Amino acid sequence: MLKCTINGKHVEVKEGTTVIQAFKMLGEEIAHYCWHPALSVAGVCRLCMVEIEGNPRLQIACNTAVTEGMVVTNKSEKVKDAVKWGLDFHLINHPLDCPICDQAGECGLQDQYMKFGKYDPEMAEKKVNKHKAVDLGERVVLDSERCILCSRCVRFTEEISKTNELGIFNRGDRSEIGTFEDKPMTDKYSVNTVDICPVGALTSKDFRFKQRVWFLKDRPSVCPGCSTGCNVDVYYNREGFWRVKPRYNPNVNDYWMCDEGRDTYKYQNKFDTVVVGHRGEKEVMKNVNRVINPMHITGGHAEMMDVQFLLQKISEKLGASKPADVALVVTGQSTNEELSAIVSFFASKFDKKNIYHWQNEPEKWNEFDGLLMRGDKNPNTKGLLKVLEQNGVQAQLWKPSLTAGKLTIVVAPENHSAYKDFSAMVKWAGSGQSTIWLGPGLHEDMGMQGEWWVIPGKTTFEKKGSFENFNGHVQSFEPVTTVIDAAVSADEFVTLLKGANFLEIHKIYRNPVERVENQFIFERGEM
Amino acid sequence: MAEVKILTEHYHDDNYRTVDGYLAKNGYEMLKKALKMQPTEIITLVKDAGLRGRGGAGFPTGMKWSFLPNNGEERYLLCNADEGEPCTFKDRMMMERAPHQLIEGMIISAFAVQSKKSYIYIRGEYFYAADVLRKAIKEAYDKGFLGKNILGSGFSHDLDVYCGAGAYICGEETGMISSLEGLKGQPKLKPPFPAVKGYLAKPTVVNNVETLASVIYILRDGVQEYRKNGTEKSPGTKLFSVSGDVMKPGNYEVPLGYPLKDLIEKECGGLKPGRKLKAVIPGGTSAPVLTAEEAYKATMDYECLANMKSMLGSGAITIIDDTRCMVDLLGVITHFYHHESCGQCTPCREGTGWLNKIVRSIHAGNATVNDIDTLCKVADNMKGRTICALSDAAALPVLSFVPKFRSEFEYYIREGKSQVRGISYAQMHH
């Protein structure tokens, strides 16, 4: 262990620690753009300047290792001046188009300027012009003028995703980020470059121009995209979810998540917003994405019902059925709490043999791309298997070749796109006599055949519960916000069947906020 | 005192560039001697002789060699023949006239640092020199000076020529290593230094052409004799590339510590008739400029020029007489560094462009007197803030040109034309 003094505070650090890491450990403020804890040191932004006692020259904290007895400060006038100028060099060719920039509000340049800058620019010359709105691929857009060439994105594709797709082309102040031969980026982790971009140079096609970040709130959750269970922050407002960003967890996902996982908020929203048409005649279509009301469907005719009333009907129906006639279908997309509630409830009343496990492409479950993405698109397969074992259940695979039960309770998966056989299974479920469908998503074939009780299910970001990931790491999470008022999770469903009042549950699990369709009008008032 | 020809003794002989001509002048004798010595002996000899790097920084060569870690890793010797510093042309002459001198020097040095493979990283524009070197290397292989088991000593060595692509930054040693590795020519962060992790992350020594060639003569003459030339702290002779407004520009080999005044007036035949000395850039364009007064007092060694807040650099001396406009000259220099900045570190990438733009707006008559101060402030804040020294190289000329010739800059801004020439930039260039 080495002893050193940072801004007058004494600290002991391990050998090989850099000065910037020591600053971070102490929570001392230090400006930096190119340094990122998970990437190699580039040492190019020259903002993390520190003054080391006995060294007349300022040093960069990111490439200086702590030595015994080192006395470091970044509070001296010399350092402040260097940082001010460092920022000035970053800004002279920056377009300063914050009002139309999507990064505004979470931009490194803005933050540093508010901390260290607040001066009038001395640059009176013409700025360098570079390429604007460069399409880097399916998900990322580049604005070269805003780019400060910190090379974080380049190092990300080199060191983390290992696709080596990005590079810095040209030289001097003509340098620009780009892909080789302008090929589109095919990186499955490309949006991470947007996250680590300290400025508005790289923006996500999915999120840009949708919301101002200061109108959004974020809450932690877990990605339901696959069995890795990346820790995420979900950005939401009263209209719903807007984006998913990775949250640091060294045991699971480090700082990263895959692009596929970032789409998981989409199916959890009430509406799926689709832009139709070409430039100039664009039309925004809002397709309903989720089951909004509890329904009783017979012969394609849906009858909206109050959830309490519907549950009463279901309860009666279940009570009248023979144990052998009732089946339960579960998936690894439900939380441990939901599964243990519903499985033990079912096991206590009906025949354990009638519990089925709906699997999506189980032959792919062991696939792994080497970084985060796994073939098992269920976040809680391991938890499900444990729950089944605890209840002494030997679940059968749910597939169309089995005879449909007289009454099937389906705790449906929330992420339909991961289930290739989803349509087929919905049709299959309908071929039985009656189906109790507890799931968040809609499907056109629901209720076309047989008798259906559809109960809007909660999605991961609305639930409180826990997932067990591929290596047995149990992660619990709290609800982010509620999108569908009437939605219930499987454990709530069981509580309700046992006779609880929906409003009681509503109180427990909902945050009582009024939701509005248009956040902007809500904040500003009608104009 | 006059020219002392040690390195350049036989350069007038056209045959000297062939192996036979070189052998006829006792070539490769020192290699034979060196191979019988212990490697550490050679390093000690070079240390004692006080040989300093001739590429620009003047770092003691023997010391550089002794920094290599003894961990049994493969080592590389790289010869820096990129010679990008504007106004320098000594290495080119050395490679074109005496390729075998460099090859011999390199084999001796490689033996001293126990390297099995070395490269000559040659400037992209030096087609002819590269050609000459390649031929010479082939001859050396044929004669058994290179390859396996050189002259029966058990020491094997391979040598190759690698052509750069014309970037100034690849003359910086870590930039050169990046380029040689096939990467973009950008300097690497230090530490680790090349002596620990250099080419292909192996211990690497990078030396200038002239430095490597000088090793032969330290071996030949011994420490005592070698130290007779030059000063206590800057021993030996050095090649100076003199260009600009003198009667006889060219390469001159003189002992270090030689008075600049003598070099201009005796060796170079003085200034053109009727002209007066205005300024001298003593070590390539990145060295701070000296006024005529300072230049006449200067001696060409590392210490004296450092005391004058300039530097010996690569030994490229540019003589500027009273018909030259300093504002125009600074424009040439800032344009060069703007063009050549690699773009890695922000202060250099943005600062070089900013400096150039300010000088251009002075030329265009759009500047105000405040811009002179901005120019100095920008340059001052680029200095010492980057990975390599290019940013310093761009800042130092500004920080010497502007204070030393401030009246010319003020005149240019006030009148919109050059004080010396009486015409504007636009008139001069169209």
Side-chain angles (χ1 to χ4, degrees), chain A residues 41-42 44 46 49 57 63 85 89-90 93 122-123 125-126 128 148-149 168 170-174, chain B residues 167 184 189-191 338-342 344-347 349-350 354 357 361 377 381 384-387:
Chain A
V41 174
V44 296
R46 317 305 286 184
M49 291 282 185
R57 243 180 89 157
N63 197 43
W85 272 93
F89 284 124
H90 276 93
N93 283 319
E122 298 195 44
M123 171 84 166
E125 322 300 327
K126 209 170 166 282
V128 178
I148 55 165
L149 293 157
I168 297 177
N170 240 320
R171 170 168 98 179
D173 59 9
R174 286 90 62 213
Chain B
K184 192 174 175 182
L189 265 183
K190 285 162 265 184
H338 174 221
H339 188 255
E340 293 295 344
S341 167
C342 82
Q344 221 184 159
C345 309
T346 309
R349 175 181 72 234
E350 309 294 347
W354 194 354
K357 278 176 190 163
S361 59
K377 262 194 277 179
N381 282 290
R385 301 267 167 89
T386 50
I387 291 175

Side-chain angles (χ1 to χ4, degrees), chain B residues 205-247:
Chain B
V205 178
V206 184
N207 283 127
N208 178 255
V209 175
E210 196 185 342
T211 319
L212 291 167
S214 301
V215 174
I216 305 173
Y217 302 97
I218 295 173
L219 239 64
R220 187 187 73 181
D221 303 341
V223 172
Q224 292 272 311
E225 191 68 23
Y226 186 79
R227 276 187 170 273
K228 273 189 186 160
N229 287 311
T231 64
E232 174 61 33
K233 284 184 178 165
S234 312
T237 60
K238 163 129 187 61
L239 277 162
F240 288 101
S241 316
V242 187
S243 59
D245 302 317
V246 281
M247 293 305 282

Side-chain angles (χ1 to χ4, degrees), chain A residues 270-289:
Chain A
K270 194 171 184 177
F271 297 110
D272 183 14
T273 317
V274 195
V275 180
V276 205
H278 298 289
R279 181 178 296 215
E281 46 193 48
K282 271 184 188 169
E283 199 187 332
V284 178
M285 302 270 288
K286 276 188 169 179
N287 297 335
V288 177
N289 221 357

Side-chain angles (χ1 to χ4, degrees), chain B residues 260-303:
Chain B
L260 182 54
K261 189 177 184 193
D262 288 0
L263 189 65
I264 297 169
E265 286 176 357
K266 289 184 189 156
E267 267 70 37
C268 300
L271 293 143
K272 288 172 187 164
R275 305 272 183 91
K276 259 173 63 190
L277 186 68
K278 181 173 178 178
V280 175
I281 305 176
T285 52
S286 54
V289 67
L290 300 176
T291 59
E293 224 170 83
E294 287 170 321
Y296 280 137
K297 280 185 222 153
T299 57
M300 296 309 286
D301 54 83
Y302 297 99
E303 285 70 37

Side-chain angles (χ1 to χ4, degrees), chain A residues 199-214:
Chain A
V199 298
L202 294 174
T203 43
S204 156
K205 272 189 192 171
D206 182 40
F207 181 69
R208 70 200 300 247
F209 309 139
K210 293 258 177 78
Q211 284 292 333
R212 277 309 198 181
V213 290
W214 54 86

